[in-house]
Each structure stands twice: as C-alpha cells, then as structure tokens.
Amino acid sequence: MNLRLKNAISNRKKDLIILLVLLLMPVFLNVIHFEYAFTIVSFIFIYIIAVSGLDIVFGYSGQISLGHAAFFAIGAYGSAILHKYTHIPVILTMIIAAFLAAVIGAGLAYPASKLVFHFLSLATIAFGEIVYQLVAQSPYEITGNFTGFFTDSVSIFGYKLNTYSKFYYFGLFSVLVFLLMKNNLIKSKVGRAFIAIRENSHAADGMGINVRNYKILAFAISAFFTAFAGGMYAHCVKFISPDTFMYKQSVMFLTMLLFGGTASRFGPIFGAVSVLILNEALRATEKYQLLIYGVLLLIVIVVLPGGLYGAYQDVAVKFKKKGVNKC
Amino acid sequence: MLKVKNVTLRFGGLVANNDVSMEVRDGKITGLIGPNGAGKTTFFNCISGVYTPNEGKIIFEGKEIQGYRPYQINKAGISRTYQIINLFKKMKVYENVIVGMHSRLNSSVTDSLFKTKKEREEEKKAYEKALGLLDFVGLLELKDEPAGSLSYGKQRLLEICRALASDPKILLLDEPAAGMNATEKNELDLLCKKIVERGVSILIIEHDMKLMMGLADYMYVLNYGKLLAEGAPLEIQNNPAVIEAYLGGE
Ligand SMILES: Nc1ncnc2c1ncn2[C@@H]1O[C@H](COP(=O)(O)OP(=O)(O)OP(=O)(O)O)[C@@H](O)[C@H]1O
Ligand SMILES: [Mg+2]
C-alpha cells in the first residue's frame, strides 16, 4: 500500500513536470525562433485526438475501421459549413459537428456491428469512400468541392487563434480533455465492456453485456473524438479540401495507432509524434508516403507487436527488474 | 423457480433437445447427467439464451424467458459457467469478476466519461465486492494475475466467481469439475454447498458421479436429447435404463 502511494506521488510528479514542459514549450520555441515547430506540434495535437478515437473502437473494442477519415471529414466540413451559414462560434460548431459524427458513427455501426472483421473493414472503407465522394462532389458545391473551403479560426472570447502558435494552448487543452475522457472511459464499466467484447464476445454477452449496443457506442464515441480532431484541423489550417480526407488519411490514423501501440494510454501520443516527425523528415519523399506507412505497419506487425509504447514498457520493466536485483 | 416445459431444439435434422421438461427448485442443487452428446450443454444454451428453443417454454419466476438474449438472461438472474473455459484471458482475475457485475452497475456513459462521484463510488464498491467474492472461492491472492495464467482448476473457480458477481438466483454449472484434481473436487463440493447457503439455486452438469451423488438433491438424465429418467440420486443410480444408457454409450 505504501509503495503504491509512493508510486502515485512520483507519477503525479512526473505528470506535473511533463505538463510544465508543455506549458513552457512555446516560450522556448519563440526564444530559439523555431516557429515552424508550432505547425508540427499543432498537427501532433490534432492527430493525438483523432488516433485516440480510433483506439477506442479498434484498440479497446477490437473493431477495425479503415474509414475514420470520414469522421475527420464530417468534423471538419460539418463545423466549417455550419459556422459559415449560422455564424455560431467555431468552438460550438466543432462540438455540434462531432455530435453529428457520433450519430452517423452509430448509424454506421448499427448494421456493421453484426459483421466480422474483414467484412467490417470493407464496410468502413466503403463508408470512407462515400463521404469522400460527397465532400469532393457535393450537391450545390456546398463543400467547395475540389476548390476547397476557407473557414475561420477558433476564437476564444473574441480572441482569434489565427496562427499556429496561438493555437498551441487550445490544442494542448483539447488533448488533455480528450485523453482524460478516454482514460476515464476505459477505467469504467463501459471500458471494461469494450475490452470484454474484444477478448471474448460470447462470454461478454453471457455476462450481461449487450454486445451490439456497446459496439455501436464504441463507434459513436470514437467518431466523436476523430470528428472533433477534424474540426480542430479545419479551424487551425483555416482551409480544407478533399485531399485531406482520402483513404490515405484513414491508413495514416491506423499506422499511427499501431506504430504507437493499441489499447494504451500513451500509444496514440507515441504514434502521432513519431509518424508526424518522420513525415516531416521525409517531406521530400511525399510520393512515397503510403509506401512508408506500409513499411511502418510491417515493422510493427513483425517486430513490435505492442507498438513503440509496448516496446518502451518492456524496456522499462527490464530496467525496474535490474534495479530490484541491485538492492 | 425455473420451469422448463417441453423444450425442443433442432440443429437441422438433429434433435439435440427433444421435448425436455424439468424444474430447478429454490435453494436446491439440481443435477443433469447423460452420456456425451446427450444434449446437456445445448440445454444450458437454451436456458441461457444462446439458442431459442424451436418449441416449448422456459419460465423463470413466472415469466416466459425463451427467446431472451444471453445478456438479458443474465440480467434477469440466471448466470452460468462454460464447459469450455470462456474467461477474458488477458484481463486480470479481479477484472473478470467485475465484468461479471456488469448488469448490476448503474453508471451511465456520461458518468464514465467524466468520472462522476457516483461512478467512483460504484467502482470502489464493485472492486471491494470482487475481492469478497474472490475470497469466497479462494482466489484472493491471485487477484492481479491475468486470468489466462491460472491453472485449469482455478480458471474453473474463477468462472464460478465471475458468474456469482451478477448476484444470480440460479447458477448453471457446466462440468465445473472437468480438469480438477481430487483435492480441487472436494473444494468444489464444499463451494457448491456454500453457494446454495447464500440463497443461490444450482443446476449442475457433471460427469463425476461420486461428486454428483454427494451434491444433487434431485437429478435428471438426458439421453439422445430426451429425458430418460428423473429422481433422487440413489434412485437414478439404480435405474436400469440409466445404467443401460451409460453402458451402451461407452
Ligand atoms: N451448434 C451446433 N450445431 C450443430 N450440432 C450441434 C451444435 N452444438 C451441439 N451439437 C450437437 O448436438 C448434440 C448435443 O451436444 P451437446 O454439446 O449439448 O452434448 P453434451 O450432452 O453437452 O455432451 P458432453 O457431455 O460431451 O459435453 C451433439 O450431437 C452435438 O454434436
Ligand atoms: Mg456439454
């Protein structure tokens, strides 16, 4: 018990230090005049939330989705279009669009929840394609089609977050809120039900879990997360076009998740950070992006089944053991 | 408490349960035996909602429950263990037990997302209850182990523990002693009696006749999907038709 308390306190300390570093990072980046980093960090924030959403449905409840770009699109276009026509503040339109995506996610999961793995992946690919086509060739060009769609930045009490550096704290705050919600969810009755379904859906059913409803719920919550990230993307970049919401984006989410580690607290963070930085480093080779994701996925499947975070944990466990041996 | 009336279940041409009727009495241990392939597990699957009988009624506390889904049966107050162990292997032992409480926990999705006070208190109680149940079946020291790492006999105990977590009125045990050694079987015998003392009625399938004779208050025998005999254990043991079925089946 005492040990546990000690661990809890030292964990708190670690969390506080990380938070402090994150809070002071913009100052540091400004001092060294590395403004471009804000762009990358903003995307990292956005992707952490999007990938966390995918983790809920794929990592925790074991349902594949190769169409999460669609939820990203619904969040982005939903919020941008809603804001244009109603002038409701951007933050609200982001939340409304995320709820819309949750409803659509539930609607997709309702029939799809009966499908097994590979059929579910086909159904989600089809869904992603449908949304992409709707966005790219919308009726009355409501989405701006291939020309794209310009939109406003997030504004807080009239203060516009219209640069990447101003977006920073909003992005950080959103990440913290969403990660906290995800963590709460996983450590609750709902999260246990998700994991139980992934582990053994027959037994879950027998233990009183309405498997279908929970699968639908997982999709809805997942869609909410990813769509909110889509909204962040739209109002951070202030311009969206169909390119961003192609099949490739869904693969990117999955790559990040698998590479970082599924069903874990830090997997989506590790994944988003490493893949985005890699992307930046390999900017010149954009043509080969899908190839690179493919290679990353292979590495994960063959060498790092737990993803980066899993590997990190293994190493940490080994170090701890060594420490004990020394005593 | 539980009355099954003329249940028939077919798999295509095979009649796995043929016009079976039986009763699980309040506060008693009811035994169900029969040669391999007699349809015992299928019968459990009918009661627990895995299959919907083609004909017949299943009445629990005055309500017809045939056609309910398994999760609804569990919520109604009938829980079960499986002949082929069906645990959440990667989850910890105590987590398996808390999953078993699912239908008794009331926190909503929003309670969960925002960890409301109500949710935290309920989780704390659930954890304590799980420890109590693990203590009851003798698995407390193993609470943090992954369920899949337990020995075969202990996994069977954990299945019972998980099933008890939903506070059932009836517990269905499908060959709980399979894979247990003699000591474990003795402990199981005691455990079943303690479970009945808690006010849970038991319907048990078991091939170990010695165990069954000591446990069951009343027994039913299935053969080729049909009810062959019923009665007190001693009557069953000396029933020529039952002896014939077992010898003929070997
Ligand atoms: N899902 C199924 N589809 C088709 N046939 C099945 C199915 N499940 C069971 N059977 C058949 O129904 C019959 C009864 O099987 P059941 O598993 O109920 O027997 P049992 O009495 O539990 O046997 P055991 O003592 O070996 O566990 C068997 O002939 C079996 O092959
Ligand atoms: Mg059986």
Side-chain angles (χ1 to χ4, degrees):
Chain A
M1 196 64 218
N2 218 341
L3 193 74
R4 199 185 273 182
L5 203 68
K6 249 184 208 165
N7 274 341
I9 290 170
S10 83
N11 275 346
R12 265 284 145 72
K13 255 190 203 156
K14 232 190 327 190
D15 289 351
L16 272 179
I17 292 170
I18 293 172
L19 192 63
L20 210 64
V21 169
L22 285 170
L23 286 174
L24 293 177
M25 183 131 90
V27 181
F28 173 71
L29 290 175
N30 277 324
V31 168
I32 63 165
H33 288 287
F34 187 26
E35 275 88 10
Y36 183 62
F38 284 111
T39 316
I40 303 171
V41 174
S42 299
F43 283 117
I44 287 177
F45 289 156
I46 290 165
Y47 276 100
I48 287 175
I49 295 176
V51 175
S52 296
L54 184 61
D55 197 21
I56 290 171
V57 86
F58 178 65
Y60 287 96
S61 20
Q63 303 179 87
I64 182 79
S65 168
L66 285 167
H68 257 51
F71 298 125
F72 203 58
I74 293 166
Y77 280 98
S79 177
I81 293 171
L82 200 63
H83 178 67
K84 178 175 169 186
Y85 290 106
T86 63
H87 304 292
I88 297 173
V90 164
I91 295 213
L92 286 180
T93 59
M94 283 165 71
I95 293 172
I96 295 169
F99 271 111
L100 177 72
V103 172
I104 293 172
L108 169 72
Y110 185 72
S113 62
K114 286 207 160 170
L115 302 178
V116 289
F117 205 77
H118 17 286
F119 290 107
L120 183 61
S121 57
L122 287 180
T124 52
I125 289 173
F127 171 67
E129 201 53 35
I130 290 167
V131 171
Y132 170 75
Q133 290 300 338
L134 280 177
V135 163
Q137 302 175 43
S138 59
Y140 307 110
E141 298 206 16
I142 190 174
T143 62
N145 292 7
F146 287 107
T147 338
F149 194 101
F150 286 92
T151 184
D152 258 346
S153 47
V154 181
S155 75
I156 294 190
F157 304 120
Y159 179 70
K160 284 199 171 207
L161 310 177
N162 52 7
T163 65
Y164 285 106
S165 63
K166 287 182 194 160
F167 186 80
Y168 182 91
Y169 288 109
F170 173 70
L172 179 62
F173 178 74
S174 305
V175 166
L176 291 177
V177 169
F178 274 88
L179 287 186
L180 190 69
M181 284 199 297
K182 182 186 169 214
N183 208 34
N184 288 345
L185 189 74
I186 293 317
K187 297 216 162 119
S188 74
K189 169 188 168 186
V190 179
R192 272 194 309 271
F194 288 167
I195 298 169
I197 290 169
R198 181 193 72 196
E199 290 293 304
N200 186 337
S201 68
H202 283 288
D205 193 5
M207 293 309 122
I209 295 167
N210 184 337
V211 173
R212 192 166 194 200
N213 278 1
Y214 274 90
K215 281 184 168 180
I216 293 170
L217 182 65
F219 250 101
I221 296 174
S222 173
F224 187 93
F225 273 56
T226 305
F228 189 85
M232 286 170 74
Y233 175 87
H235 301 293
C236 172
V237 179
K238 289 171 285 181
F239 172 76
I240 42 180
S241 66
D243 287 3
T244 313
F245 307 98
M246 293 198 300
Y247 178 63
K248 174 165 104 165
Q249 187 69 268
S250 299
V251 177
M252 168 99 134
F253 292 149
L254 200 65
T255 310
M256 287 177 170
L257 180 57
L258 286 169
F259 198 65
T262 55
S264 66
R265 202 135 70 106
F266 296 103
I269 303 177
F270 277 53
V273 171
S274 55
V275 175
L276 278 176
I277 289 178
L278 204 71
N279 253 351
E280 273 319 301
L282 303 173
R283 233 199 144 77
T285 58
E286 217 181 313
K287 271 197 291 191
Y288 303 110
Q289 228 175 22
L290 267 179
L291 176 75
I292 293 168
Y293 297 161
V295 172
L296 284 183
L297 283 179
L298 265 182
I299 293 178
V300 169
I301 291 163
V302 179
V303 200
L304 295 173
L308 281 183
Y309 182 61
Y312 161 79
Q313 272 183 321
D314 289 347
V315 172
V317 166
K318 265 183 206 152
F319 265 94
K320 253 189 204 153
K321 272 198 186 139
K322 266 191 191 153
V324 171
N325 283 345
K326 267 181 201 160
C327 290
Chain B
M1 159 162 280
L2 178 74
K3 282 203 178 87
V4 180
K5 289 188 175 158
N6 311 100
V7 159
T8 296
L9 184 102
R10 299 185 197 92
F11 293 119
L14 179 83
V15 191
N17 288 160
N18 192 346
D19 200 26
V20 178
S21 299
M22 68 171 67
E23 191 180 340
V24 177
R25 288 168 191 79
D26 212 350
K28 298 273 192 264
I29 299 182
T30 308
L32 175 58
I33 62 168
N36 290 114
K40 305 179 296 295
T41 298
T42 304
F43 187 69
F44 266 26
N45 283 336
C46 286
I47 298 176
S48 63
V50 177
Y51 302 137
T52 305
N54 299 100
E55 286 154 39
K57 285 180 183 169
I58 301 170
I59 299 157
F60 177 57
E61 296 187 312
K63 240 184 16 209
E64 286 189 25
I65 57 164
Q66 72 273 12
Y68 274 35
R69 307 290 312 136
Y71 72 89
Q72 295 168 318
I73 299 282
N74 177 282
K75 187 161 189 176
I78 301 178
S79 70
R80 68 174 291 184
T81 67
Y82 298 85
Q83 180 174 356
I84 298 165
I85 290 175
N86 226 349
L87 290 167
F88 308 110
K89 291 203 162 78
K90 284 190 201 150
M91 294 173 96
K92 289 177 180 170
V93 164
Y94 84 84
E95 286 171 333
N96 270 270
V97 181
I98 303 185
V99 172
M101 282 173 216
H102 186 87
S103 43
R104 304 289 169 246
L105 300 178
N106 299 315
S107 294
S108 68
V109 179
T110 31
D111 285 329
S112 301
L113 277 169
F114 300 110
K115 271 251 169 270
T116 56
K117 193 162 172 251
K118 175 187 160 204
E119 199 268 351
R120 285 198 307 268
E121 281 169 3
E122 190 176 63
E123 282 293 301
K124 195 162 164 260
K125 270 195 203 139
Y127 181 66
E128 278 157 13
K129 184 175 162 188
L131 298 192
L133 282 168
L134 284 168
D135 195 28
F136 178 71
V137 302
L139 289 176
L140 187 56
E141 319 85 88
L142 298 169
K143 69 182 169 65
D144 291 317
E145 301 296 320
S149 73
L150 267 52
S151 73
Y152 210 68
K154 294 216 157 70
Q155 292 197 21
R156 293 235 176 258
L157 285 181
L158 180 54
E159 283 232 337
I160 297 175
C161 188
R162 182 180 68 173
L164 286 173
S166 60
D167 298 324
K169 298 197 177 97
I170 294 183
L171 181 61
L172 310 177
L173 302 175
D174 196 344
E175 299 196 20
M180 283 189 172
N181 60 35
T183 335
E184 286 173 327
K185 279 184 186 173
N186 282 334
E187 283 166 12
L188 177 70
D189 183 280
L190 272 176
L191 180 64
C192 287
K193 286 169 181 156
K194 279 200 302 183
I195 290 171
V196 172
E197 274 168 26
R198 284 168 79 115
V200 181
S201 315
I202 294 180
L203 177 61
I204 176 172
I205 298 174
E206 188 46 66
H207 281 298
D208 186 320
M209 285 309 267
K210 203 176 122 226
L211 185 69
M212 206 58 149
M213 288 297 143
L215 270 179
D217 297 295
Y218 196 81
M219 277 168 75
Y220 293 90
V221 186
L222 272 183
N223 193 25
Y224 293 115
K226 274 194 160 172
L227 207 57
L228 181 69
E230 62 177 286
L234 274 178
E235 286 167 39
I236 294 295
Q237 206 173 16
N238 299 319
N239 184 321
V242 175
I243 295 167
E244 160 76 26
Y246 268 89
L247 290 179
E250 299 292 287

